[in-house]
Amino acid sequence: MAAVTLAEPELLTALGYVDVQQPDAPSTLATLPAGVPAVVVPLLLSAGYHVYVDLTDAVTGETEASARSVILTEALGPDDRLIELLRERLDEVALHADDSLVLAVAGSSDARAVAACRVVAERLSLAAGRHVALGFLSAARPRLACAITIERILRPGRRVVVSSYLLAPGFFQRLVEKAGADAVTAPLLLPTEPASPLLVAVVTDRYRTALTAASASAD
């Protein structure tokens, strides 16, 4: 959030969580100045339960309770700037021409989120000029460890590199690191590094695109 505030200092930015931690999204919306319209940008790489249920309910509840105009944007991905950021992370682990490449994604029980992850794998394959296998950490298949094993069987003797399509370190990143690959990239955000301008641009674009769409529908 600090990077977004720095990039867009004229905006009032506030942080809310969709799972476990506080303040949650409804609490954050309720603390905003009365009557001020709000745009909720999910800091999520794919739209699943949190977007279609948790945040949708929060936006609907706040709109009904306060008559505040609240817009919920799309998730951050798929987006070609995120693909570019994945490529930068792969450069950090020195991806070789003969390496096998697996994209690790969180996974979801929502088919729309799973489809979006497949789009990301396809775009990364085009950008990298090589086959990219897909491995899920939960809810969908193939699971990451299985995808890695399949790559070892199909391409014996090659190094298996996993590209982590996760936003930040945590439980899922630790699962990626324990799945059996020879090399694993860092997630898209690290607490020891400034946020990538590519990621910040995706967030601010989601905000501006939602405002433009809302203005067009009001005309």
Side-chain angles (χ1 to χ4, degrees), residues 129-181:
R130 64 172 70 214
H131 170 73
V132 175
L134 185 60
F136 296 89
L137 295 170
S138 66
R141 296 184 185 278
R143 294 298 173 88
L144 177 60
C146 183
I148 292 171
T149 299
I150 291 171
E151 287 301 305
R152 294 200 187 282
I153 293 171
L154 294 177
R155 300 169 179 82
R158 295 191 181 189
R159 189 175 71 147
V160 177
V161 176
V162 168
S163 174
S164 176
Y165 187 57
L166 298 174
L167 196 58
F171 176 72
F172 274 1
Q173 180 67 18
R174 291 192 292 273
L175 290 181
V176 174
E177 292 165 357
K178 294 177 181 178

Side-chain angles (χ1 to χ4, degrees), residues 37-91:
V39 178
V40 177
V41 182
L43 297 184
L44 298 166
L45 295 175
S46 302
Y49 184 87
H50 286 318
V51 172
Y52 294 122
V53 179
D54 290 337
L55 290 177
T56 297
D57 288 350
V59 166
T60 301
E62 176 64 17
T63 301
E64 293 174 350
S66 68
R68 184 197 310 276
S69 170
V70 186
I71 302 169
L72 177 62
T73 79
E74 296 180 354
L76 302 184
D79 189 287
D80 286 339
R81 287 163 292 194
L82 299 182
I83 304 302
E84 186 175 346
L85 185 48
L86 288 173
R87 292 287 308 279
E88 290 180 2
R89 289 298 194 210
L90 286 168
D91 288 341

